[in-house]
Amino acid sequence: MQAFPFDEMTPLERQRAMAAGKSFDRFPCVPFMGDLKRRLIGAGDWEIWNDADAMVRAERAAFLRWGYDRIAVGPNTRTIAGAIGSSLPFPLQSQRDGGSITGTVLGAIQAADPFDIARSACFAPFLQAIDRLVCDFGDTVPVNASIGGPATIASQVLGVEAFLRLCRRDRSLVQVLLRLVASVQGHCIDKLAAAGATIAMADPVANPALIGPGLYEELVFPVTMELCDYARRKCGEGVALHMCGKTECIWGLFARYPLGELSVDEAVDLDGAASALGDSFALAGNVDPVGAMLMGGRREISQEVQRCIRAGRRSKKGFVLATGCDIPFNAGFEKIDMLMEECRLQGLGQEPWQSVPEKE
């Protein structure tokens, strides 16, 4: 692993020290980049989702450039939803177009084999990539595998609009679908944990602004709790959970999850999150991915880093500097350079942005 300015610990050493309440050199930083990393190697969309070699090259190139604190690979919502949707023996177009949900649909969901779905060939490249990344970096950098969130995966299977309507019209069918999704995710956790990865889940469609806090508690919370419990047992570490938008009205439910980390959207008051949830698990957030990372420059990025680190210091279980959501695909790589530089400077108590040469 190459040296980065001011870093005195590896990401894994830093993570373990923070979790144990010991001193560490700087706050961890994880810029959420999504498919943006493929631009570093000139890979196309198909390659980054289907070619293990492209996944590994993209992750290696990104880590070697920025030295951030977590390597992250799929399969993500896209792969799991595709595997479930393609395995169900009926067309879903009627649901996406607003057609009625029939008893045949319910029967097909109940008859689906989660283990067989999780054996789909579409998962193989991700497992291969994770195995290679753990071999290359696992002694210095945490390797994280994202398995999406149950509500968001279910919404991709049926179509978002149809899923949200169904949450109000036929909750029993939603529960059956969510159970199928969670079972497939559980089998994925088995394989990913065996490969040496920890688990992340992002569930934006479960946001209470979309389904309401009552339906979140009734439909989403039980399956998410089971997945979080299972992942902690299999991986030895809690899940890193992310949800877009404002989530304050369900923080009481979040506090019950056995999470390793909760990542909060830029719309969330990070000071409030630190006060309400910082005793339960580490927090991650919440640099504005558009206002700062896409539209801003050094000043805006530095101010966001300063704001987040100031709030994050109040989280007793730890803090990870991260963007509030994925950095837009057309943001320049130099913006990520600035984010990492500011984290290294401000995490060490250096002077704020005014003392740093403008790089734009």
Side-chain angles (χ1 to χ4, degrees):
M1 177 177 160
Q2 71 187 72
F4 292 92
F6 306 116
D7 283 7
E8 298 175 357
M9 308 175 83
T10 68
L12 198 56
E13 290 170 341
R14 191 174 295 119
Q15 180 194 60
R16 289 171 176 169
M18 187 172 67
K22 298 179 180 179
S23 61
F24 50 92
D25 57 343
R26 65 164 173 83
F27 282 101
C29 186
V30 181
F32 297 139
M33 285 184 274
D35 287 357
L36 178 60
K37 286 174 282 191
R38 70 178 172 85
R39 289 177 48 200
L40 285 170
I41 62 168
D45 181 70
W46 187 93
E47 291 175 274
I48 211 67
W49 285 92
N50 296 276
D51 184 340
D53 184 63
M55 296 176 197
V56 171
R57 288 189 292 114
E59 295 298 331
R60 180 180 288 119
F63 176 73
L64 293 178
R65 173 162 177 164
W66 290 299
Y68 48 51
D69 287 83
R70 186 181 306 150
I71 289 174
V73 191
N76 294 314
T77 296
R78 175 173 172 174
T79 303
I80 296 178
I84 293 173
S86 64
S87 72
L88 296 177
F90 55 84
L92 298 176
Q93 191 60 45
S94 61
Q95 281 77 58
R96 291 194 172 94
D97 290 345
S100 62
I101 306 292
T102 66
T104 304
V105 173
L106 175 60
I109 294 172
Q110 290 173 322
D113 185 341
F115 179 69
D116 190 57
I117 295 171
R119 294 169 59 196
S120 170
C122 61
F123 294 106
F126 296 98
L127 292 170
Q128 294 165 10
I130 288 168
D131 186 65
R132 290 171 56 184
L133 289 166
V134 169
C135 182
D136 291 347
F137 296 104
D139 59 342
T140 56
V141 192
V143 178
N144 201 233
S146 171
I147 60 168
T152 304
I153 294 171
S155 76
Q156 294 300 309
V157 172
L158 289 182
V160 176
E161 184 179 347
F163 173 78
L164 292 174
R165 285 200 308 270
L166 203 63
C167 285
R168 289 160 174 80
R169 295 179 181 177
D170 192 342
R171 298 177 190 179
S172 61
L173 179 53
V174 172
Q175 288 171 328
V176 173
L177 179 56
L178 288 173
R179 288 291 174 189
L180 171 61
V181 170
S183 295
V184 176
Q185 290 178 286
H187 290 303
C188 291
I189 289 170
D190 290 339
K191 295 182 178 180
L192 295 166
T198 56
I199 303 299
M201 294 194 300
D203 208 1
V205 175
N207 188 280
L210 290 177
I211 69 171
L215 286 177
Y216 182 89
E217 182 172 11
E218 177 184 349
L219 299 176
V220 183
F221 177 75
V223 294
T224 305
M225 175 64 84
E226 290 179 11
L227 284 168
C228 290
D229 279 334
Y230 190 68
R232 179 176 282 277
R233 292 198 306 271
K234 297 294 290 189
C235 301
E237 294 185 24
V239 165
L241 177 66
H242 175 81
M243 188 181 296
C244 297
K246 294 182 70 62
T247 53
E248 288 86 344
C249 61
I250 56 172
W251 281 357
L253 296 174
F254 281 177
R256 294 163 60 184
Y257 289 141
L259 298 178
E261 171 186 305
L262 175 67
S263 162
V264 295
D265 187 281
E266 69 274 9
V268 168
D269 174 18
L270 189 56
D271 278 301
S275 296
L277 299 170
D279 290 349
S280 300
F281 35 68
L283 294 176
N286 66 347
V287 172
D288 187 342
V290 176
M293 299 302 296
L294 177 64
M295 306 299 295
R298 169 74 71 170
R299 178 190 296 261
E300 290 75 19
I301 291 172
S302 179
Q303 289 173 340
E304 281 289 277
V305 170
Q306 187 174 20
R307 173 187 65 81
C308 291
I309 287 180
R310 183 175 59 247
R313 291 184 189 277
R314 300 177 55 218
S315 178
K316 294 181 182 178
K317 291 290 187 177
F319 175 69
V320 177
L321 180 70
T323 45
C325 197
D326 280 356
I327 298 169
F329 189 76
N330 57 339
F333 291 142
E334 70 277 3
K335 302 294 184 67
I336 305 172
D337 294 338
M338 294 178 191
L339 178 67
M340 293 304 306
E341 289 164 4
E342 288 297 330
C343 178
R344 290 182 165 106
L345 288 169
Q346 296 195 37
L348 289 169
Q350 302 294 309
E351 293 298 318
W353 66 267
Q354 288 95 332
S355 66
V356 180
E358 184 68 37
K359 292 185 65 174
E360 292 182 273

